[in-house]
Amino acid sequence: MKLTRQEVQNIAHLARLELPEADMPAFVENLSDIITFVDQLENASTGDTQPMAHPLNMNQPLRPDVVTESDHREDYQRNAPAVERGLYLVPRVIE
Amino acid sequence: MDWEMVIGLEIHAQLKTASKIFSASSTAYGAAPNTQANLVDLGYPGVLPVLNTEAVGMAVRFGLATHSTVAPRSVFARKNYFYPDLPKGYQISQYELPVVHDGYIDIDLDDGVTKRIGITRAHLEEDAGKSLHEDFHGMSGIDLNRAGTPLLEIVSEPDLRTAGEAVAYMKAIHQLVRYLDICDGNMQEGSFRCDANISVRPAGRHEFGTRAEIKNLNSFRYIERAILHEAERQIDILESGGSIVQETRLYDPDKDETRPMRTKEEANDYRYFPDPDLLPVVISEAEIEAVRRELPELPDEKRGRFVSAFGLSEYDARVLTSSRALADFYEAVAATVSDKKLAANWVMGDLSGALNKDGLDIETSRISAGALAGLLGRIEDGTISGKIAKQVFEAMWAGEGGADDVIEARGLKQITDTGAIEAIIEEVMAANPGQLEQYRSGKDKLFGYFVGQVMKATRGQANPALVNELLKKMLAG
């Protein structure tokens, strides 16, 4: 399957990746090759196969509804570039 | 042209768990920013989510109460988008295989008609954090305490046709989740909020029109106004020859209008895929049955029982079952009072009025169910009349003690002594010779006047039935 340049640009945008114009032909080519390779799976017969949600054939273990965490805000916020009044500061986003 | 609205609602109900859906942080509201956000909630690399059993149980409870199918196997998926209050860059939600699907709820409309509204699905997901935009010198502040709080997203079929139906449906779900004790229903704190999908079509046409989604409606009044406004906007566009753009809009209650949301425009491609950090959730038939056995009596059942067991009217039963707390209060009062209608009138009348006046709700009532039952008992055993009871009620509300204390302290005990009442009647007759003569010459209407005089002379404390009986006899001469 051949991806268009527009599709690759859209995928990059959704992933917030900036791709240099000069590299675009190579990305279109390489991503198309990967999809073509995976496309072979379309030919596999899956009529009797149950769809899997996970490679491990196990069920999700559950935990009891108990609060065991305590406050470590100070430790965690040492990794943050900017904090104020307990909040993490980020470049302004507004709806 | 006549237009018809087509509305579907997505309700987000915050589940009342103690800890988060995938981590052991507290979900308590109102804590200092980021003090309830641990490494899982912050989306640190290398951490793994572990599912909260209570969140699953609550979803099952909702599923059973809405006649839905509870999926024996459901799957968590990642919904990918970038926003600073979503630290992982994806929200853990459910997509293809939700935990609950294909149910319904019956709603009551104003004209007494019942309408069945389909519930497409209800799935578990985690809430995001909160962004604050003011006072951070051009930056945004992020509080992640809410990140990871369990939500049940309840998606209706597009079965709603008017803003009134949408409100009735939202109220029915609100009532149900509180009965089930899975959500506190607090709309101010955002525990219960809703998005509305709205389209219009010419009346009689079968196909749906293009829809717009209105985000984050957190009051019954706003949802009604937002729907009315949005439908009007769409009709104006269509009638002037335009077409509707499928988009996400935000309702602004101050301006009473909806406007497009800028950021969500291009983010509609969420690239869902099964979350590799979580295994499929398997719920056995035995586990579902265990939840079914623990299911509380639901609003419709309770209403029916109030009518059949207590002889209440459909209307009274509906008011008294509007919340589980109110219904429990009424039942506690009615348990010791033999006149169930009297109990209903007091709970819906004087008590509700007093609660409203003081801005309290039934849980914080100044008079307990037992105390109110005590008061009504004194009406039933003839110690006081219904009229005096109102006076006693007010004193009890003001904190003067139980019914017996107030009756004793204020000397309100009903006069049931025949001799005492006869003496007062004689005084009244002597003081009103003119009226007495008129009455005896056939002016029956004056009977009420004499009753009034006797009650006045006894400060309302004479037993009314006894006054009537004795007056009739003595006035006749």
Side-chain angles (χ1 to χ4, degrees), chain B residues 294-308:
Chain B
E294 297 290 308
L295 222 49
E297 187 179 36
L298 298 178
D300 286 352
E301 298 162 4
K302 206 182 272 290
R303 195 170 74 204
R305 183 168 61 81
F306 277 22
V307 170
S308 60

Side-chain angles (χ1 to χ4, degrees), chain A residues 22 34 42 56 90:
Chain A
I34 290 169
E42 291 287 325
L56 295 179
V90 298

Side-chain angles (χ1 to χ4, degrees), chain A:
Chain A
M1 186 185 152
K2 181 86 180 148
L3 290 173
T4 66
R5 189 187 178 95
Q6 179 60 42
E7 281 167 333
V8 174
Q9 266 163 353
N10 188 39
I11 294 164
H13 176 71
L14 288 170
R16 297 294 184 273
L17 293 174
E18 193 180 0
L19 302 184
E21 267 307 301
D23 296 345
M24 278 307 283
F27 277 114
V28 172
E29 190 66 33
N30 291 342
L31 275 175
S32 296
D33 283 351
I34 290 169
I35 288 185
T36 306
F37 176 71
V38 176
D39 258 352
Q40 294 177 72
L41 287 173
E42 291 287 325
N43 300 323
S45 155
T46 56
D48 301 329
T49 312
Q50 283 293 314
M52 293 170 83
H54 200 279
L56 295 179
N57 189 21
M58 293 166 69
N59 302 334
Q60 176 64 33
L62 303 176
R63 47 164 259 275
D65 180 27
V66 179
V67 176
T68 56
E69 287 287 329
S70 48
D71 173 23
H72 293 290
R73 182 175 77 181
E74 260 180 59
D75 298 335
Y76 302 151
Q77 295 202 329
R78 260 182 235 134
N79 290 333
V83 292
E84 192 176 312
R85 281 176 275 159
L87 298 159
Y88 294 91
L89 294 191
V90 298
R92 189 170 185 132
V93 277
I94 195 129
E95 206 48 79

Side-chain angles (χ1 to χ4, degrees), chain B residues 206-224:
Chain B
H206 194 66
E207 305 85 59
F208 293 151
T210 304
R211 67 171 197 264
E213 183 183 6
I214 316 293
K215 280 274 180 206
N216 255 339
L217 301 163
N218 64 353
S219 88
F220 296 124
R221 197 160 56 95
Y222 288 168
I223 179 172
E224 179 156 30

Side-chain angles (χ1 to χ4, degrees), chain B residues 20 26-28 30-37 129 143-149:
Chain B
K20 293 188 177 176
S26 169
T27 57
N34 293 306
T35 53
Q36 290 174 179
D143 176 7
L144 293 168
N145 280 350
R146 202 180 63 185
T149 298

Side-chain angles (χ1 to χ4, degrees), chain B residues 112-311:
Chain B
V113 177
T114 299
K115 184 170 175 176
R116 180 157 293 179
I117 306 300
I119 290 170
T120 316
R121 56 187 282 156
H123 64 252
L124 286 164
E125 61 183 28
E126 57 178 346
D127 207 346
K130 222 184 243 170
S131 310
L132 299 134
H133 303 298
E134 283 86 34
D135 296 336
F136 297 103
H137 14 268
M139 310 275 280
S140 287
I142 306 293
D143 176 7
L144 293 168
N145 280 350
R146 202 180 63 185
T149 298
L151 298 177
L152 189 66
E153 178 173 331
I154 304 154
V155 183
S156 84
E157 289 289 303
D159 287 344
L160 303 158
R161 292 290 172 271
T162 65
E165 286 183 16
V167 172
Y169 166 78
M170 196 173 168
K171 283 185 172 166
I173 297 285
H174 186 252
Q175 180 190 41
L176 182 64
V177 295
R178 285 162 68 229
Y179 261 79
L180 294 172
D181 202 24
I182 62 175
C183 172
D184 67 18
N186 189 323
M187 296 172 87
Q188 279 85 39
E189 291 176 6
S191 305
F192 189 86
R193 54 191 198 262
C194 138
D195 304 336
N197 285 298
I198 302 161
S199 64
V200 297
R201 64 183 173 188
R205 206 175 77 177
H206 194 66
E207 305 85 59
F208 293 151
T210 304
R211 67 171 197 264
E213 183 183 6
I214 316 293
K215 280 274 180 206
N216 255 339
L217 301 163
N218 64 353
S219 88
F220 296 124
R221 197 160 56 95
Y222 288 168
I223 179 172
E224 179 156 30
R225 279 166 53 187
I227 289 172
L228 290 174
H229 175 273
E230 176 59 20
E232 199 176 312
R233 186 189 70 90
Q234 293 186 12
I235 291 167
D236 283 350
I237 292 174
L238 293 170
E239 286 190 338
S240 57
S243 55
I244 308 297
V245 183
Q246 183 167 343
E247 63 183 353
T248 305
R249 301 177 69 87
L250 209 57
Y251 176 67
D252 181 341
D254 296 328
K255 294 187 188 146
D256 191 22
E257 62 175 31
T258 62
R259 56 184 158 78
M261 273 172 88
R262 278 170 294 166
T263 51
K264 288 267 171 153
E265 294 288 293
E266 50 198 14
N268 273 326
D269 188 351
Y270 290 124
R271 293 147 293 145
Y272 283 98
F273 63 89
D275 191 328
D277 286 347
L278 288 152
L279 293 152
V281 180
V282 172
I283 304 171
S284 71
E285 198 55 47
E287 286 166 315
I288 294 172
E289 281 317 305
V291 174
R292 196 192 300 277
R293 278 195 300 274
E294 297 290 308
L295 222 49
E297 187 179 36
L298 298 178
D300 286 352
E301 298 162 4
K302 206 182 272 290
R303 195 170 74 204
R305 183 168 61 81
F306 277 22
V307 170
S308 60
F310 298 144

Side-chain angles (χ1 to χ4, degrees), chain B residues 12 21 35 45 53 89 131 169 291 295 334 340 351 363 383 417 471:
Chain B
H12 291 86
I21 183 167
T35 53
T53 184
S131 310
Y169 166 78
V291 174
L295 222 49
K340 310 300 180 194
L351 181 73
E363 286 98 334
T383 307
D417 175 350
L471 254 181

